[in-house]
Amino acid sequence: MEKDFQSELEKMDNRLTELESKIDNIDSKLNQVVEALVGNPLMGKGAGLVSKINHLEREIEDLRDFKKKIIYTVSAIVSLGLIIEYFITTLRAISK
């Protein structure tokens, strides 16, 4: 009876050790995932995916603003060209 009890205690101890090992493994993998998403404090906060995504969003917003400025500039130049062409055509018609 005592041998059975001792055997069960050893089995339970082995299972506990195995579970602790698995939990440590899961914890280390979870830490790797967190470091990949947020970044490792030792490497700087800019190393994580979240930081990179935020940086890319800012770059996209800057490019959109630049695109709007280019469109407005081209529109203004074309409009100015049309106005100048209209005045030249009108002045030629008046001078004839």
Side-chain angles (χ1 to χ4, degrees):
M1 184 85 155
E2 192 168 314
K3 285 184 179 181
D4 291 337
F5 183 70
Q6 197 68 1
S7 172
E8 284 297 317
L9 281 177
E10 286 178 14
K11 287 179 184 177
M12 289 173 62
D13 189 40
N14 290 338
R15 280 187 250 152
L16 181 62
T17 305
E18 183 182 325
L19 288 174
E20 286 174 344
S21 172
K22 288 180 180 180
I23 288 174
D24 287 342
N25 189 16
I26 291 171
D27 187 47
S28 68
K29 288 180 181 180
L30 181 61
N31 285 337
Q32 289 174 352
V33 169
V34 168
E35 285 179 7
L37 291 175
V38 179
N40 186 342
L42 298 175
M43 296 175 66
K45 292 194 176 193
L49 289 175
V50 173
S51 176
K52 290 177 183 178
I53 289 171
N54 288 337
H55 177 72
L56 290 173
E57 286 176 345
R58 284 192 299 272
E59 282 187 17
I60 288 171
E61 198 59 40
D62 290 344
L63 289 173
R64 285 182 181 156
D65 290 342
F66 180 73
K67 177 183 168 187
K68 286 178 187 177
K69 289 177 184 177
I70 293 295
I71 289 173
Y72 293 146
T73 303
V74 169
S75 299
I77 291 171
V78 169
S79 299
L80 186 62
L82 289 174
I83 291 171
I84 291 172
E85 182 184 354
Y86 172 76
F87 282 131
I88 290 173
T89 307
T90 305
L91 286 176
R92 283 186 184 162
I94 292 174
S95 62
K96 285 187 180 182

